[in-house]
Each structure stands twice: as structure tokens, then as C-alpha cells.
Amino acid sequence: MKPVERPIWKRRWARMIALATVVLVAGWFLSRERPAPAAAATEVAQTPEPGLPSPAPPPVPAEPPPTMAVATPETPPVPPPVIDAVTLEKQEVCSGEDNLISVRAHSPDGNDAYLHSTIGTGTGMRVPLRVWLEPDGTYEQPVVTVFGKDNVSTTVPVPRYTVKSCEPERLVEVLSRRMPNADEDYEFLARIVELPQQRDAAPRAPFAPVKYVWTFDNEPAVTTTAPVATHTLSGPGTQPWAMYIQHLVTVNVFDAKGRKLTGRSSMQMLNTSFENFDKKGIVTLLARGTPRFPELGEDGVVRQTFRLYHQWKGPVRLERVTALRARVPEKGAPPLPEDASEVSLGMDVIPEGQGVEVKVSLDTKSEPDVSVVTYVLEGSTVDGHPARGTFSVMRPPPRPTKENSTPITDSVLMAKVKRARELLGQQFVTDEDLWRLEREGRFKDLNVQRDTP
């Protein structure tokens, strides 16, 4: 016997009632777990009057999103460097006599490449220190401060040594300056300073220098007859890969009787190649030009040779060289944009060490409006680090003429210019030439009276 089927409308009603029951039960459970805000319970439904717009519902404050604590690993603080030893060159000196103080230190975390220090008023890991006795026979004890990464430092006093009441008759100061248009070339000047003499002291024998023996770090000595020397302080491979480069310059000054005076200078210089890699991850490509200043040939062409090098271990492959030409606008016109073009230098690898030489030129006749061409170098190391650098070849200033120059009216300056032209065998001399000859003492015998206005 077949069961009697209910009408289809009854079956649909039954399903709808069951679904509504499930929704009501679920809503009841949810309301128990998450009660509605108190403000919602006080809301009263408002029926708008006919013809009036319905009022906007009151804003419901948004619930703030749940906050989640994200654990970030804390960077451990950089430990201060450890000073292993501070050594003295001498256990006793005269007041004002220098004493070479050397410091040896290390970083507990192995970051020795950041170490640098100050010793007294000097900077460096080896400093010729001078102290002067006070009237009561004491002297202020200097300190050594060694800095590590992030300039975290450690300070200790310099060990005591005996400072006697005697004083040297004269001192030698070593002054230095970076040569223009060169990164590593420096000029050094030895200046003899006569100290004040006591009234009741015997007259001093004069000291007339005849030669200067220079020592730069541990390199072979260089002898000059003038108190000036030029030197390339740091080249590829001569210094460790570190944030600071340390140098000690020594000069021994002799007179005709063989008497000797000694002067020293410590130099602690920032290594920009290390800094660029440490801060930016970029290997710096360096360039050294020969001649140091651009020279215009008789054919109107400026020719220079540049040695490209770097301080990275391993070769650097050049991937792109862009030449930027700066053009001189006409008088009163706005500046012109630089012209950029990709060029080839005839090589694509800069090896480690001495690097490689390239020759570039600027034809001032075929490009009369170009003042400078800057070569932008882009490449990478074999281990994937980007390498960047630039160098430029420039149009030298026009040679002096009566029309573009101011005549010299000072008689002393005119005498120096004439002497410089004779000594250097040049038709034209620069301020740099005059300063160098002045420091070398080449104008001492000029007996010229300055014109009075």
C-alpha cells in the first residue's frame, strides 16, 4: 500500500518553519555569548511623519580592531671596546718634548674594523703627545679614548711618566693638507718653532736646516732640501679594510753640523670607501687623473689618463658607463640640461689592486659649448655587490690675457711671479705654484719693497 503524500504546499511550509526555528535558536545562543551594547537597548523606533524624510540613524561607534603584540627581536647593544695596552715610547721627557703613545685594543664582538681613538688632544692609534709642566711641577694627565662601532667608547688614563723641568730649544711642527684635485695626495710642511728663551740663559746656537728626511709609516725614507714634501698616503692594498686609516708621519731635520730635530704627526682619516659599503652596501670606484689638472693641447684637445681602482677584494665588472656633458648656455640664457649617452671606455673589468688605466679626451673645438664631461660608472662585484663611481674631464680656464685679466700692481707679488716663472720654466704660474714655492722658502732672498699707496 503506497503512503499518502502530503500536498507540495505543506511540505514547503514545513521546511520554512524548520529553517526559521534554527535561525532563532542560533540567534539566541549568539546573543548570550555577545550581548548588544547598552546604547542599542535604549533605542526607540521612530516613525517619520508623512512627507518628511526619514531621520538618519545615529552613528554606531566602531569597535577597535583587536590588537596583536608582534614580537620583534631586540638588537643587542654594541659592547664597548677593550683596551689591551697603552705603551710609552719614553719613560721620561722634557716639558714640551713629544712622547709617542700607542694603544692596542679589540672589540669583543669582532668588529675591530670600526676602532679609532683619541690620545690627549691628538687622534690616532699612535700619537706623539706633548705635555707641559704647570708652575707647581705637575702636569695634567691625558686620557686615551677608544671608539668602536656606533662610537661606543672606553676611556683609560695614559700611564704616568716623568716630565722634567727642562725644555727643548725648538720644536718641529708637521702640518699637512690634501692636494687639490686629488684624493690621496698630501703635502707636508715642516715648520721649526723657536721656544721662548729664559733671560739668564746662554745664547742659543742658530739652527739652519740643510735637509729633511721624511718617513711615511713604514715606507722608505724620502729626503728633501726644502721643508715641503708631497706623498700619496694610501693606495690600494696598503691599508686594512677599516672605517679609519691610520698614518704616522716623521721628519728628521738636519743642519750642516749634523744636529737633528724631529717632528711627528699622526693622521686618522675616514675611509669613505668603507663607509659607503657599511652604510649603503655600495663598492666605491675611485679614479686618479694624470695630469692632476686638465691641460689644453695646441690642437684644442684636453687629454687625461685616469687610473680606475677600488678597495674591494676581487674584480669589479663594469656594466654601464654614461657620459654626461654639461653645456655652457649663452649669456643670460637659462642653464642647459646635461646630455647623457652610454659610452665605452675600452675595458669592462677593474681588477683588484692597482686597477686599470683609461684615456679620455675633450675636444674643445668640435664641442665648443661643453665645459665638462662626467663619466658615471656602474657595475658589480663577483659576489653581487653594486659598484658605483664617477670621474670628470674638464675644460681648463682660458689662458690669461690683457683683456680677461687684472694687472698685478703689487711689487712683491710681481717679483714672486717672475721668480716662479724662472724656477718652473712656465709662461704662466698659478696661486698653487706660488704657495708651494713660498713654503719651500724660494722667495726668502727677494729684496723687494712693497709700494706704498
Side-chain angles (χ1 to χ4, degrees):
M1 182 175 178
K2 282 178 136 187
V4 179
E5 294 185 358
R6 290 180 294 176
I8 188 169
W9 63 271
K10 288 185 177 181
R11 294 198 304 270
R12 289 179 177 175
W13 271 105
R15 286 196 293 268
M16 292 175 64
I17 292 172
L19 180 60
T21 303
V22 171
V23 172
L24 289 174
V25 173
W28 182 77
F29 277 108
L30 291 174
S31 66
R32 286 177 60 87
E33 294 182 3
R34 188 176 181 180
T42 61
E43 291 180 1
V44 179
Q46 299 179 358
T47 303
E49 296 182 9
L52 295 177
S54 301
V60 179
E63 294 186 5
T67 57
M68 298 180 62
V70 180
T72 56
E74 293 186 1
T75 304
V78 177
V82 177
I83 298 178
D84 301 309
V86 179
T87 57
L88 310 175
E89 179 187 39
K90 308 170 187 175
Q91 290 300 324
E92 62 177 26
V93 295
C94 288
S95 178
E97 180 185 358
D98 69 18
N99 195 1
L100 188 65
I101 312 298
S102 303
V103 59
R104 183 166 49 85
H106 74 276
S107 297
D109 57 359
N111 285 323
D112 289 355
Y114 298 88
L115 293 178
H116 58 289
S117 70
T118 61
I119 303 177
T121 58
T123 59
M125 305 299 282
R126 294 188 298 168
V127 172
L129 185 66
R130 287 193 179 109
V131 296
W132 300 85
L133 284 180
E134 301 291 342
D136 60 358
T138 63
Y139 68 92
E140 183 179 355
Q141 186 177 15
V143 298
V144 175
T145 302
V146 177
F147 301 86
K149 189 175 183 181
D150 296 338
N151 280 334
V152 178
S153 63
T154 301
T155 299
V156 298
V158 172
R160 286 283 183 181
Y161 55 92
T162 303
V163 180
K164 300 181 292 185
S165 60
C166 55
E167 288 187 2
E169 294 182 350
R170 50 186 65 89
L171 302 175
V172 179
E173 291 184 344
V174 180
L175 308 178
S176 62
R177 71 180 184 107
R178 191 192 299 268
M179 300 289 287
N181 209 28
D183 290 332
E184 300 173 346
D185 294 343
Y186 283 78
E187 182 186 76
F188 298 90
L189 171 65
R191 186 173 67 181
I192 299 177
V193 179
E194 296 282 344
L195 296 181
Q197 188 175 5
Q198 300 294 334
R199 292 182 179 179
D200 56 349
R204 295 175 180 171
F207 186 91
V210 294
K211 70 175 181 178
Y212 301 79
V213 181
W214 302 84
T215 304
F216 303 96
D217 299 319
N218 297 319
E219 299 180 23
V222 177
T223 301
T224 63
T225 56
V228 179
T230 58
H231 191 74
T232 302
L233 276 184
S234 62
T238 62
Q239 290 287 336
W241 183 239
M243 182 68 81
Y244 290 87
I245 303 176
Q246 309 288 337
H247 295 287
L248 181 65
V249 180
T250 303
V251 59
N252 291 317
V253 186
F254 296 89
D255 69 355
K257 299 179 180 180
R259 293 183 299 170
K260 181 179 74 172
L261 298 175
T262 299
R264 293 180 287 196
S265 174
S266 61
M267 302 179 66
Q268 182 172 254
M269 301 183 301
L270 179 67
N271 185 357
T272 55
S273 293
F274 184 97
E275 184 184 36
N276 286 341
F277 185 80
D278 183 62
K279 305 297 183 183
K280 306 173 185 177
I282 297 176
V283 174
T284 304
L285 301 178
L286 304 169
R288 179 184 175 89
T290 304
R292 194 155 48 90
F293 293 103
E295 298 176 359
L296 186 65
E298 296 296 334
D299 56 355
V301 179
V302 180
R303 297 178 178 86
Q304 275 185 288
T305 299
F306 286 87
R307 179 171 60 85
L308 307 181
Y309 63 99
H310 56 85
Q311 296 183 7
W312 194 251
K313 297 296 183 183
V316 169
R317 180 170 295 276
L318 283 182
E319 298 163 352
R320 180 187 302 172
V321 180
T322 305
L324 303 177
R325 280 175 162 77
R327 302 185 181 277
V328 179
E330 295 181 0
K331 188 174 182 180
L336 298 174
E338 290 182 327
D339 293 340
S341 60
E342 194 166 333
V343 298
S344 172
L345 295 177
M347 43 72 65
D348 56 5
V349 175
I350 303 178
E352 176 186 351
Q354 293 297 321
V356 62
E357 288 188 346
V358 296
K359 296 182 178 181
V360 293
S361 61
L362 171 59
D363 192 335
T364 61
K365 292 183 177 179
S366 62
E367 296 182 294
D369 59 342
V370 175
S371 60
V372 57
V373 180
T374 299
Y375 294 87
V376 181
L377 312 177
E378 301 175 74
S380 59
T381 64
V382 293
D383 45 358
H385 297 294
R388 301 289 185 268
T390 62
F391 68 92
S392 301
V393 55
M394 296 174 285
R395 176 196 298 265
R399 294 181 176 179
T401 62
K402 291 183 178 180
E403 292 72 25
N404 65 9
S405 303
T406 302
I408 299 175
T409 58
D410 185 275
S411 58
V412 176
L413 179 58
M414 176 62 75
K416 291 181 179 180
V417 170
K418 291 180 178 180
R419 171 67 64 85
R421 292 173 59 183
E422 296 172 359
L423 294 174
L424 301 178
Q426 300 174 180
Q427 184 180 2
F428 305 101
V429 293
T430 64
D431 288 340
E432 179 70 21
D433 295 329
L434 297 179
W435 293 335
R436 178 168 56 85
L437 294 175
E438 183 82 55
R439 288 188 290 272
E440 292 178 359
R442 301 297 185 93
F443 301 141
K444 286 184 177 180
D445 59 338
L446 287 178
N447 188 15
V448 180
Q449 297 295 327
R450 191 176 301 275
D451 295 336
T452 56

